Amino acid sequence: MQICRDLPSLRAATAALRAAGKRLALVPTMGALHEGHISLVAAGRRVADAVAASIFVNPLQFNPNEDLSRYPRDEEGDLAKLRSAGCDLVWMPPVEAMYPPGSATVIDVAGPSAGWEGDARPGHFRGVATVCCKLFQQSQADVAAFGEKDWQQLQVVTRMAADLDIPIRILPVPTVREADGLALSSRNRFLSPAERATAPVLFRTMTAAAGAILRGTAVASALAEGDATLRAAGLVPDYFALVEAETLKPLAARRADGPMRLVAAARLGTVRLLDNIPV
Ligand code: AMP
């Protein structure tokens, strides 16, 4: 597994792969890797000849109220996991390589960035779109794998790649969950044992609400009941909503003409849990 820490070495490594006729899949991450990230590497391997993972804790996607320094980092553990997952290349640029002094270009995706995480974390999707665009250009990958776990991010990146005519296929990968339904997340390590025991309530409540909507319960009452269930369990929901799957526009009624998604974010102690499921 080759490790690149500067752009010229990444360019040389990906050029060599292309010269050998290999299709490259990119897996963008912020490190602190778990089985969810490893499933993206596996998905990349299924559709391409080589897989590159990037590990970059992107300061641009944290807003001033969020603690960038608290984000978990484990370079040695991450590299061991990527090696055993069969990753071919790791791109881990220092911040100065990604944003050299004088950097002045950002990417703002309207549409799917609006609302939900876009409201809760102002500037977040600008940071995500900007770094993903740069990662796509730097790697020249054919495919990029993204987790459905971050559904809105997946839609923002898909929209950005289409709008900017970037010749890359965005590959959605299903959410990996613990046996009790909790979606794997680097932030779960900050849950106390009691909070960890409560956390699966989010997925259970979403599943129940989706079932109720499909059985014909009015959307507003299914959502209100879900919100109340979360609060009763000690979670503080930021949102619990039914949306059009690609545009993230809120739906007040069940849709007959296209995919819907239930999206939710809720705080449990100091941890913000984020999840979504198809309806
Ligand atoms: P992160 O490093 O947390 O920013 O995530 C990097 C990538 O891993 C993103 O595409 C996430 O959607 C994806 N990811 C994170 N958690 C999971 C999960 N539980 N299942 C599948 N993909 C995930």
Side-chain angles (χ1 to χ4, degrees), residues 7-63:
L7 198 48
S9 65
L10 177 72
R11 294 246 192 247
T14 56
L17 290 170
R18 271 194 307 284
K22 293 191 172 174
R23 281 172 53 81
L24 179 64
L26 173 72
V27 176
T29 83
M30 298 208 298
L33 303 183
H34 51 63
E35 283 304 314
H37 301 111
I38 298 310
S39 76
L40 303 184
V41 174
R45 284 172 61 88
R46 285 195 291 275
V47 300
D49 308 302
V51 178
S54 61
I55 300 177
F56 181 64
V57 181
N58 177 27
L60 210 61
Q61 71 189 68
F62 288 77
N63 68 45

Side-chain angles (χ1 to χ4, degrees), residues 165-217:
D165 306 308
I166 303 177
I168 197 166
R169 172 179 152 215
I170 306 299
L171 178 69
V173 180
T175 303
V176 177
R177 300 180 180 280
E178 302 282 4
D180 59 14
L182 177 65
L184 265 56
S185 164
S186 321
R187 290 177 163 109
N188 291 352
R189 69 187 69 190
F190 297 124
L191 294 167
S192 70
E195 290 164 350
R196 174 62 190 83
T198 301
V201 168
L202 180 60
F203 178 64
R204 281 207 296 275
T205 306
M206 297 181 77
T207 307
I213 290 167
L214 284 179
R215 285 192 305 275
T217 303

Side-chain angles (χ1 to χ4, degrees), residues 46 125 138 163 200 221 240 263:
R46 285 195 291 275
F125 288 125
Q138 292 164 345
D163 289 350
S221 49
F240 188 85
V263 294

Side-chain angles (χ1 to χ4, degrees), residues 58-73:
N58 177 27
L60 210 61
Q61 71 189 68
F62 288 77
N63 68 45
N65 305 322
E66 295 171 332
D67 195 353
L68 174 66
S69 63
R70 187 183 183 236
Y71 200 84
R73 291 166 207 246

